Amino acid sequence: MQLRYSFRLYPDTAQRTVLAPAFGCARVVFNGAVRAREDARKAGAAFPMAGELSRKLITEGKRTVERSWLGEVSAVVLQQALRDAEAASRNFFASLKGTLKGARTGAPRFKSRKDNRQSIRFTANARWSITGSGRLNLPKIGAVKVKWSRALPTAPSSVTVIKDAAGRYFASFVIDTDPAVDAHRMPDSDHTVGIDLGLTHFAVLSDGTKVDSPRFLRRAEMKLKRAQRDLSRKQKGSKNREKGRLKVARAHAKVADARREFLHQLSTKLIRENQAIGVEDLAVRGLARTGLAKSVQYAGWARFVAMLEYKAVRYGRALVKIGRFEPTSQTCSACGVKDGPKPLHIREWACPACGTVHDRDHNAAKNVKTAGGLAVAACGAQVRPGLVPAQRDEAGSHGFSPEPRAA
């Protein structure tokens, strides 16, 4: 499987001066490809092929006086910009057909120099390299200082240089990993766990462990509010407004980095300690339309589950998702009696059948583990429960006449 390893870059002043036009050239080529496809659509003609766009936008563009500056950057950067435009268009049509997984993808849009994220990509054809001193040597840019936080497991196939809204530079390497080799890096485990995600506690495990919600945004809200207020008072187009924008972007980046680090550490810990994990398939979009929208969005549930998914595949673990309509908070984990829905302010309740007193979240985590078929064992046991035939009184339609209805 392919993974990305990101590291912080520290280009000097001269290298930043060279990176700026490289971002601009890639952006111009990308916008030219989007414009050519849009013009062909309006004219009812066939979309131009990649080779035709490459000849028209890059080869012939370098020969003109208006765009002779395209020759100042690596040709691989321009070719990759064309590939990105082609991939964006392909994903858009696949999304319309319903063959693309995930959320619906919109039509490719034009990039702006004011976008929060600028990027260029170098493949192996660009002959970039990592020097013996640990610097990233990029064509026509030079050797850039890298902050290596960990070692690369294998040789990367490409590198993307990214500039984010806070003005920071990153190098994102694409790594091909072997799940069979990665699985040996994890210790053997026969433990299973069910996870109930929430807001009071970020996660409650079926073994009773409660992971507090760090609330990174709430803790930084006052600082963000002051920075945003100062930005609104700056004159548009001034240098002071640009300084204020960077201040706000850096404050948001600090919150996002802390949340991402927390999610990575927790997901890796759970994957390392358990062979199988059960989690609910939460409707985050639906919850984001309620009064708890702000807390739900910044909790990062969807990203946490996505981390568990790819790490489970990488390290040979099992991740089971149960349906979002499973009554985990309404069922007694001791006797299995369904007690009905309960308001959110009720955090403890007693089962009317067996009298067991339950913590709401702990009971839900136990039911998640049971519903995922993880209550027996992880090694050699059936992960998902088998099909159970419906009881006689559960089958059929209730409350409707058996007589055929008129057309």
Side-chain angles (χ1 to χ4, degrees), residues 323-346:
R324 63 189 59 171
F325 299 108
E326 189 75 22
T328 56
S329 298
Q330 306 176 21
T331 306
C332 174
S333 59
C335 63
V337 172
K338 184 177 178 182
D339 193 28
K342 303 168 185 63
L344 287 177
H345 69 273
I346 297 179

Side-chain angles (χ1 to χ4, degrees), residues 207-253:
D207 59 3
T209 305
K210 293 186 177 182
V211 181
D212 291 332
S213 181
R215 304 175 187 269
F216 295 110
L217 178 67
R218 298 294 182 184
R219 283 163 22 191
E221 229 169 7
M222 291 302 299
K223 183 178 180 180
L224 286 168
K225 187 182 294 185
R226 287 194 297 267
Q228 189 66 50
R229 183 171 61 241
D230 293 341
L231 174 63
S232 65
R233 293 171 179 173
K234 300 292 190 298
Q235 183 179 359
K236 291 186 178 180
S238 65
K239 292 185 178 180
N240 283 337
R241 186 175 180 87
E242 178 61 20
K243 293 178 183 178
R245 186 199 66 79
L246 281 175
K247 188 176 180 180
V248 173
R250 287 166 182 163
H252 278 291

Side-chain angles (χ1 to χ4, degrees), residues 50 146 313 396:
V146 186
V313 174

Side-chain angles (χ1 to χ4, degrees), residues 36-333:
R37 288 178 176 271
E38 182 66 16
D39 292 342
R41 185 190 66 82
K42 291 181 179 179
F47 283 170
M49 303 299 292
E52 180 183 354
L53 290 176
S54 177
R55 176 181 55 80
K56 182 178 180 181
L57 297 176
I58 300 177
T59 306
E60 296 180 0
K62 291 179 181 179
R63 298 171 182 171
T64 62
V65 179
E66 296 81 5
R67 293 193 174 181
S68 59
W69 34 263
L70 289 175
E72 299 176 1
V73 301
S74 174
V76 175
V77 170
L78 306 181
Q79 292 292 340
Q80 293 303 310
L82 282 180
R83 289 176 179 267
D84 290 342
E86 185 178 2
S89 179
R90 185 169 57 250
N91 291 338
F92 170 61
F93 288 110
S95 179
L96 290 179
K97 296 178 182 178
T99 58
L100 185 68
K101 295 182 179 180
R104 187 168 181 175
T105 303
R109 67 171 184 85
F110 295 107
K111 292 184 178 181
S112 170
R113 63 183 179 87
K114 296 183 180 179
D115 285 346
N116 294 333
R117 186 180 183 275
Q118 304 284 344
S119 65
I120 53 176
R121 186 165 63 255
F122 298 90
T123 58
N125 297 334
R127 297 181 181 178
W128 60 272
S129 61
I130 300 175
T131 64
S133 59
R135 289 178 176 258
L136 179 61
N137 192 13
L138 299 173
K140 297 190 178 183
I141 296 175
V144 186
K145 182 181 178 182
V146 186
K147 180 66 174 178
W148 298 102
S149 56
R150 52 182 171 172
L152 294 173
T154 58
S157 58
S158 67
V159 59
T160 303
V161 179
I162 303 170
K163 181 184 178 183
D164 67 358
R168 303 177 301 176
Y169 293 84
F170 295 90
S172 179
F173 298 93
V174 176
I175 305 294
D176 290 319
T177 62
D178 186 3
V181 176
D182 292 333
H184 290 290
R185 297 170 51 190
M186 284 292 172
D188 295 334
S189 175
D190 57 354
H191 295 125
T192 60
V193 68
I195 306 175
D196 179 69
L197 300 175
L199 296 177
T200 306
H201 294 88
F202 178 80
V204 178
L205 309 185
S206 56
D207 59 3
T209 305
K210 293 186 177 182
V211 181
D212 291 332
S213 181
R215 304 175 187 269
F216 295 110
L217 178 67
R218 298 294 182 184
R219 283 163 22 191
E221 229 169 7
M222 291 302 299
K223 183 178 180 180
L224 286 168
K225 187 182 294 185
R226 287 194 297 267
Q228 189 66 50
R229 183 171 61 241
D230 293 341
L231 174 63
S232 65
R233 293 171 179 173
K234 300 292 190 298
Q235 183 179 359
K236 291 186 178 180
S238 65
K239 292 185 178 180
N240 283 337
R241 186 175 180 87
E242 178 61 20
K243 293 178 183 178
R245 186 199 66 79
L246 281 175
K247 188 176 180 180
V248 173
R250 287 166 182 163
H252 278 291
K254 187 176 181 179
V255 174
D257 291 345
R259 182 174 60 246
R260 188 185 308 110
E261 181 68 16
F262 165 76
L263 296 179
H264 269 299
Q265 290 183 0
L266 180 59
S267 59
T268 302
K269 181 176 182 293
L270 292 173
I271 290 293
R272 181 181 297 274
E273 296 177 353
N274 300 277
Q275 178 63 31
I277 299 174
V279 67
E280 282 185 294
D281 184 17
L282 297 174
V284 178
R285 284 192 174 185
L287 293 172
R289 292 194 292 266
T290 64
L292 300 173
K294 188 174 185 179
S295 299
V296 168
Q297 292 284 11
Y298 280 94
W301 293 337
R303 174 169 289 191
F304 175 69
V305 174
M307 289 179 181
L308 288 176
E309 283 182 329
Y310 88 80
K311 290 180 182 180
V313 174
R314 181 181 183 185
Y315 296 112
R317 307 302 200 194
L319 180 69
V320 180
K321 287 185 179 180
I322 68 169
R324 63 189 59 171
F325 299 108
E326 189 75 22
T328 56
S329 298
Q330 306 176 21
T331 306
C332 174
S333 59

